Amino acid sequence: MEEIIGNNDYLIEIECDHIHLLFPLDNIKTIISGKDVQKSQINETTAIYQGREVVVYSLSMLLEKNSTAYEKYAFVVENEDIEAIVYVDEVKGIHPLKSKPYPFPNCLKQLGVDYIINCYMLEEGYLAFEIDFIKLLTRFYKKNIRRK
């Protein structure tokens, strides 16, 4: 698994509230057990990761879902602007990018859902959406900033 983390030739499949999502591995620094995240004593929205305080999100919260599933895994997501831990319900597998995406539904573009990159038909017959983690985090952050 370590050799494909950070590789954009693979997508990781997540199930969140019965929806199958795919995330490129290029922004995922590592995948850890949700139990291994040390909650910060300061507040519930941060955790201590490798000695640093990092913002924590739930994927269901980012997608504005009311999931009651136990969040078993956590992704450390990182690029030059963002470092965050994102809890996910279920990791279903890793898929190499070998098939072409299906045409993206225009209705989603019109709704302003800019964090969905593509959609793919998985071997199991599920339609799965490829999500840009960084756009999703940025969108959520901007939407929830408290203005003075």
Side-chain angles (χ1 to χ4, degrees), residues 16-19 58-71 89 140:
C16 178
D17 199 29
H18 305 293
I19 298 171
S58 161
L59 180 59
S60 55
M61 177 183 67
L62 292 173
L63 295 171
E64 299 177 15
K65 296 279 184 190
N66 292 326
S67 177
T68 57
Y70 175 70
E71 295 167 327
D89 300 340
F140 182 83

Side-chain angles (χ1 to χ4, degrees), residues 4-69:
I4 61 174
I5 295 294
N7 185 331
N8 61 0
D9 293 331
Y10 292 88
L11 299 169
I12 188 164
E13 180 187 355
I14 306 298
E15 187 175 345
C16 178
D17 199 29
H18 305 293
I19 298 171
H20 292 261
L21 304 169
L22 299 167
F23 292 93
L25 291 175
D26 56 346
N27 291 125
I28 297 175
K29 185 175 178 181
T30 190
I31 301 170
I32 55 179
S33 169
K35 297 182 296 190
D36 293 340
V37 176
Q38 178 187 352
K39 294 285 186 174
S40 171
Q41 300 297 327
I42 298 169
N43 61 47
E44 295 177 4
T45 60
T46 60
I48 305 301
Y49 175 71
Q50 295 184 341
R52 295 182 318 278
E53 193 171 50
V54 179
V55 178
V56 176
Y57 298 99
S58 161
L59 180 59
S60 55
M61 177 183 67
L62 292 173
L63 295 171
E64 299 177 15
K65 296 279 184 190
N66 292 326
S67 177
T68 57

